Amino acid sequence: MAQLDTLDIIVLVALLLGTVAYFTKGTYWAVQKDPYATSLANGSASKAGKSRNILEKMQETGKNCVVFYGSQTGTAEDYASRIAKEGSSRFGLKTMTADLEEYDYENLDQFPDDCLAVFVLATYGEGEPTDNAVEFYEFIGGEDVSFSEKGGADGEPLGSMKYVAFGLGNNTYEHYNSMVRNVTKYLDRLGAKRIGEAGEGDDGAGTMEEDFLAWKEPMWTALADAMNLEEREAIYEPVFEVTEKPEMSAEDDTVYLGEPNKNHLEGASKGPYNAHNPYIAPITESTEIFQDKERNCLHLEVDISESNLSYTTGDHIAVWPTNSGREVDRFLRIINMQDKKDTVITVKGLDATAKVPFPSPTTYEAAVRYHMEIGAPVSRQMVDSLAQFAPNEDIKNEMSRIGKDKDLFAEKVSSKRFNIAQFLESFGQKWDKIPFSFFIEGIHKLQPRYYSISSSSLAQKKKIAITAVVTSEASEGSDHVVKGVTTNYLLALKEKQHGAANPDPHGLEYALTGPRNKYDGIHVPVHVRHSNFKLPSDPAKPIIMVGPGSGVAPFRGFVQERAEQKKKGENVGKTILFFGCRKEKEDFIYREQWEQWGEDLGDSFELITAFSRDGVNKVYVQHRLKEKAEEVNKLLEQKAYFYVCGDAANMARDVSDVLCGIISEKRGVSKQKGEEIVKGMRAANQYQEDVWS
């Protein structure tokens, strides 16, 4: 037999790999999807559950209304679920929700004219689609968009589609609600028939919920007229079936006690680690960096060397929180289920399209602690829906009044920032008539919290730094204090790492060792989200950074990176950081490190501080920016990159206004021209923001 030469072997290996790829469909290297989203546990393991053909799925499951969502943090998904639920209960529509990334769109030209499409679309960052909506957005907005039958030739390939749309945005960003605005423009251009006005919710103004409710009612009225729908009395119809399993023990190794998926349950966690599959990262360092006894700011570093995770400077790290024991107990106590907290339950979708938001079998306590956003402010629509389960008629009537009256709701609920259990508790009675399925459907899934990474991947490739101010805010006119779920969890972990006998600084009782003690040894579940907030590729380019408070986090990474580049002999451009805080002696974070990196960078680094409460007059970063107008303008003329991180509603907007004024004054142009120049900088990625409301 002739010996195989090297080329023969290469060809055979290539053929073998191709065969494996074909038959495994990427099983071994594809990005891991939600491992229980299509499991038997939620009743959607049918052929229809796996199809990427949305029309086929609608037909097989008997649906006439599909609610598509583009969601980054889960809020748009929640609104989509609420629309689907209400369409079913009030108007008898056969509804389903659909994650935009799970379907193909070439056959939307065949969308039945007796069906309805709903689009609930969040805008992410600087006018970008959410991660799960990227492919849809690029397809529907393409100049040469081509459909299965009509191909766009007659100009109205979507002429049979009726749709409504709601957007989630933030007015502090320049491209406010651009997703819903652009998608409706594209759909209209392709001939789709929009019913009513597209709604726009504003997270920046804090009116998202009221914007949604104000849009929803006229939308249903217009829809009922357009599609001849008859409204009926809304009755609660569960989407999920919750079955208690008294024969099973919570100690059974098949019962999920907070593990996010089967691999974690079996103790064999493996990558890829992502938004469906966290890495349980060891915390290698945790320190308090405020000198203020009344407030906390944490610096933590997590080790990712044993994972496949990687990051680049400017990315975000997602921390997966757990609810505090205090709030879990409050929730179970008010619905009279504290004695059943360890009862094993299974959760199953009563519809083939229903997605159970967590794996089962599990327990009531595990579901509440690890998977339900019980600490979130209660919504007015939730209050109205809960009235039907009130313990007596008086409370039912009061709940209905609060749920229907915007001003009364503001006075009794939102001004106090009650979560659901705190609100129910205020009536002084147990609420034991509410089905647990109602909470699974009505309460958001507990979401990871994203933090700007405050380290440089060049300087420390395998360690990610987090900078977080611990949230503890008193409600106006009330003794009620809102405790941030994730930052207080991290604070307790820091206390534990430093040997505290009772690592529970605020009596919140976090389960620090995780389900079945799998997080012991000071671990936290994380994944990395890549960001467009980046340093220029050429380190010689000058940069100007504005980051007060914990908004300085990504700039710590930027400066650390530039110091490392300088050490390696690279030419590093001017690096200016505007940092502000309350008091120099209390919250001037990373002071020693700025000094060290300043020595490393020499004249190319300049730190400009603003301490708002150290003098008679309050001085903020925007004031310091104006004082440095000459230098700032000169650097911008040299194509310096300009970065802002922190509070969007006030600081970021003020900084933008000051910059427009600087350009106008120093270049002798009108304020309008200055604004146009800044707008051009944004478009060219020369002006970047990483801000929050």
Side-chain angles (χ1 to χ4, degrees):
M1 184 176 176
Q3 288 220 327
L4 294 173
D5 63 20
T6 305
L7 182 59
D8 292 330
I9 293 170
I10 292 170
V11 170
L12 284 171
V13 169
L15 286 170
L16 177 62
L17 289 174
T19 304
V20 170
Y22 179 80
F23 286 107
T24 63
K25 305 297 185 190
T27 299
Y28 298 111
W29 55 81
V31 173
Q32 182 170 329
K33 291 294 290 176
D34 188 337
Y36 49 84
T38 55
S39 68
L40 285 169
N42 71 2
S44 60
S46 64
K47 178 186 174 186
K50 298 175 183 177
S51 174
R52 289 190 62 82
N53 184 326
I54 187 62
L55 303 185
E56 179 183 287
K57 184 158 188 176
M58 290 175 69
Q59 185 176 21
E60 289 185 2
T61 55
K63 305 301 182 186
N64 60 8
C65 174
V66 56
V67 187
F68 294 108
Y69 61 85
S71 188
Q72 194 71 25
T73 61
T75 308
E77 182 178 0
D78 173 62
Y79 281 130
S81 297
R82 286 163 63 177
I83 291 169
K85 182 84 177 161
E86 194 168 346
S88 173
S89 63
R90 282 179 64 181
F91 297 96
L93 287 166
K94 305 298 181 186
T95 59
M96 65 174 284
T97 59
D99 185 330
L100 278 167
E101 72 178 345
E102 294 183 0
Y103 297 94
D104 298 321
Y105 301 97
E106 287 82 358
N107 64 349
L108 284 183
D109 56 329
Q110 300 171 48
F111 199 85
D113 60 8
D114 59 348
C115 293
L116 174 72
V118 181
F119 294 90
V120 183
L121 304 167
T123 299
Y124 172 53
E126 291 298 327
E128 300 151 30
T130 55
D131 291 347
N132 74 320
V134 172
E135 287 186 23
F136 167 74
Y137 186 65
E138 291 175 350
F139 172 80
I140 207 73
E143 290 184 12
D144 56 348
V145 56
S146 180
F147 293 96
S148 57
E149 289 189 354
K150 300 179 184 178
D154 63 358
E156 289 207 343
L158 300 185
S160 63
M161 176 186 281
K162 298 183 183 73
Y163 81 97
V164 297
F166 181 76
L168 293 80
N170 186 318
N171 73 12
T172 59
Y173 287 87
E174 182 184 1
H175 302 284
Y176 172 61
N177 258 312
S178 64
M179 264 299 282
V180 75
R181 293 179 182 183
N182 289 339
V183 168
T184 53
K185 180 175 71 178
Y186 301 149
L187 291 171
D188 293 350
R189 184 176 70 196
L190 293 165
K193 305 297 185 290
R194 177 156 40 92
I195 297 170
E197 293 297 317
E200 294 187 355
D202 187 0
D203 190 44
T207 58
M208 183 70 75
E209 179 68 15
E210 289 302 330
D211 294 337
F212 174 71
L213 296 179
W215 165 79
K216 182 171 65 69
E217 285 312 312
M219 180 275 289
W220 286 127
T221 301
L223 195 61
D225 289 344
M227 298 189 70
N228 296 317
L229 303 178
E230 286 189 20
E231 185 169 2
R232 59 189 188 183
E233 184 180 353
I235 316 169
Y236 174 66
E237 296 171 345
V239 173
F240 301 113
E241 178 182 75
V242 180
T243 306
E244 294 183 355
K245 297 287 184 180
E247 72 279 8
M248 294 184 73
S249 164
E251 301 306 313
D252 192 308
D253 60 11
T254 63
V255 175
Y256 290 85
L257 296 182
E259 295 91 349
N261 56 49
K262 192 173 182 181
N263 284 336
H264 282 266
L265 178 67
E266 295 175 348
S269 166
K270 58 185 179 181
Y273 297 106
N274 51 39
H276 303 297
N277 183 38
Y279 172 60
I280 312 304
I283 298 175
T284 58
E285 180 184 332
S286 58
T287 54
E288 171 62 59
I289 53 177
F290 272 177
Q291 305 301 316
D292 179 357
K293 292 181 181 178
E294 301 299 315
R295 297 184 301 144
N296 299 96
C297 184
L298 306 176
H299 175 87
L300 300 100
E301 300 207 358
V302 300
D303 187 343
I304 58 170
S305 58
E306 298 299 317
S307 73
N308 68 333
L309 289 173
S310 64
Y311 77 103
T312 55
T313 309
D315 281 346
H316 299 138
I317 185 168
V319 175
W320 293 48
T322 67
N323 287 308
S324 70
R326 186 169 76 185
E327 290 307 319
V328 171
D329 290 345
R330 187 200 307 271
F331 182 87
L332 292 171
R333 186 171 60 245
I334 197 62
I335 63 173
N336 206 27
M337 293 189 72
Q338 204 165 21
D339 292 343
K340 298 177 109 181
K341 67 179 186 176
D342 294 323
T343 299
V344 176
I345 58 172
T346 59
V347 184
K348 174 183 170 184
L350 293 173
D351 182 285
T353 65
K355 275 188 181 179
V356 179
F358 49 81
S360 71
T362 185
T363 65
Y364 286 116
E365 186 195 33
V368 175
R369 185 183 292 274
Y370 291 98
H371 300 295
M372 297 165 68
E373 194 78 74
I374 59 170
V378 61
S379 71
R380 184 155 66 90
Q381 187 172 1
M382 172 72 91
V383 170
D384 196 30
S385 299
L386 281 166
Q388 62 189 303
F389 304 114
N392 58 51
E393 281 300 311
D394 288 343
I395 294 177
K396 179 179 180 179
N397 293 335
E398 177 69 1
M399 287 283 281
S400 292
R401 278 199 326 121
I402 295 171
K404 290 179 169 58
D405 187 324
K406 177 181 174 180
D407 295 331
L408 187 61
F409 175 80
E411 176 194 338
K412 299 275 189 182
V413 188
S414 60
S415 65
K416 298 176 182 177
R417 300 176 67 185
F418 280 146
N419 64 38
I420 182 68
Q422 290 163 348
F423 174 63
L424 295 178
E425 205 174 45
S426 70
F427 289 91
Q429 294 201 34
K430 295 285 177 68
W431 291 67
D432 54 8
K433 298 177 185 176
I434 309 171
F436 196 70
S437 57
F438 178 90
F439 292 119
I440 298 174
E441 297 158 27
I443 295 176
H444 293 199
K445 183 177 178 179
L446 188 60
Q447 296 290 333
R449 270 50 168 186
Y450 293 93
Y451 298 90
S452 300
I453 291 175
S454 54
S455 55
S456 157
S457 56
L458 180 65
Q460 48 181 81
K461 185 178 179 182
K462 292 300 180 180
K463 282 187 181 177
I464 292 177
I466 305 169
T467 307
V469 173
V470 179
T471 306
S472 184
E473 298 175 359
S475 299
E476 232 176 278
S478 166
D479 58 2
H480 177 56
V481 178
V482 178
K483 299 288 186 185
V485 173
T486 310
T487 53
N488 281 280
Y489 169 50
L490 293 175
L491 176 60
L493 282 167
K494 191 272 288 185
E495 297 282 322
K496 182 185 177 190
Q497 187 164 51
H498 287 264
N502 178 27
D504 193 15
H506 295 143
L508 297 172
E509 299 171 12
Y510 282 99
L512 298 181
T513 60
R516 293 185 171 89
N517 297 323
K518 289 174 180 175
Y519 302 174
D520 203 6
I522 326 295
H523 287 72
V524 64
V526 300
H527 73 269
V528 171
R529 180 175 75 186
H530 297 297
S531 164
N532 292 323
F533 194 73
K534 297 296 177 197
L535 281 164
S537 56
D538 179 3
K541 286 272 187 189
I543 63 170
I544 302 165
M545 302 163 286
V546 183
S550 61
V552 82
F555 303 137
R556 179 184 181 274
F558 282 16
V559 176
Q560 184 183 32
E561 177 129 333
R562 290 207 144 192
E564 191 71 14
Q565 289 170 329
K566 187 71 178 272
K567 285 180 189 175
K568 292 179 184 295
E570 295 189 54
N571 178 24
V572 175
K574 186 69 176 180
T575 304
I576 298 182
L577 171 61
F578 289 88
F579 169 73
C581 61
R582 295 182 185 181
K583 297 186 176 184
E584 183 177 5
K585 291 182 179 178
E586 291 183 359
D587 48 3
F588 186 0
I589 59 177
Y590 301 124
R591 181 173 191 161
E592 293 79 11
Q593 292 177 358
W594 302 131
E595 290 172 358
Q596 178 58 56
W597 292 326
E599 288 179 19
D600 296 339
L601 287 164
D603 292 342
S604 63
F605 180 64
E606 187 176 356
L607 174 64
I608 298 158
T609 56
F611 305 114
S612 63
R613 300 190 185 178
D614 272 347
V616 178
N617 299 316
K618 290 189 176 180
V619 179
Y620 297 112
V621 285
Q622 49 268 42
H623 299 131
R624 295 298 191 216
L625 186 66
K626 191 179 286 189
E627 289 171 8
K628 290 284 184 175
E630 189 74 42
E631 185 176 6
V632 166
N633 180 61
K634 189 179 294 183
L635 289 171
L636 291 179
E637 289 182 325
Q638 296 168 21
K639 301 300 179 186
Y641 279 58
F642 191 88
Y643 301 91
V644 183
C645 182
D647 165 45
N650 299 303
M651 181 277 298
R653 184 172 284 175
D654 288 348
V655 166
S656 181
D657 288 344
V658 167
L659 194 64
C660 292
I662 287 172
I663 291 170
S664 168
E665 178 193 340
K666 296 301 174 184
R667 300 185 192 180
V669 298
S670 68
K671 184 71 185 291
Q672 183 180 353
K673 180 64 177 174
E675 290 170 356
E676 288 174 7
I677 291 169
V678 170
K679 189 173 182 179
M681 288 171 59
R682 290 179 187 271
N685 226 29
Q686 190 188 344
Y687 188 125
Q688 298 179 31
E689 289 182 316
D690 185 0
V691 296
W692 56 86
S693 57

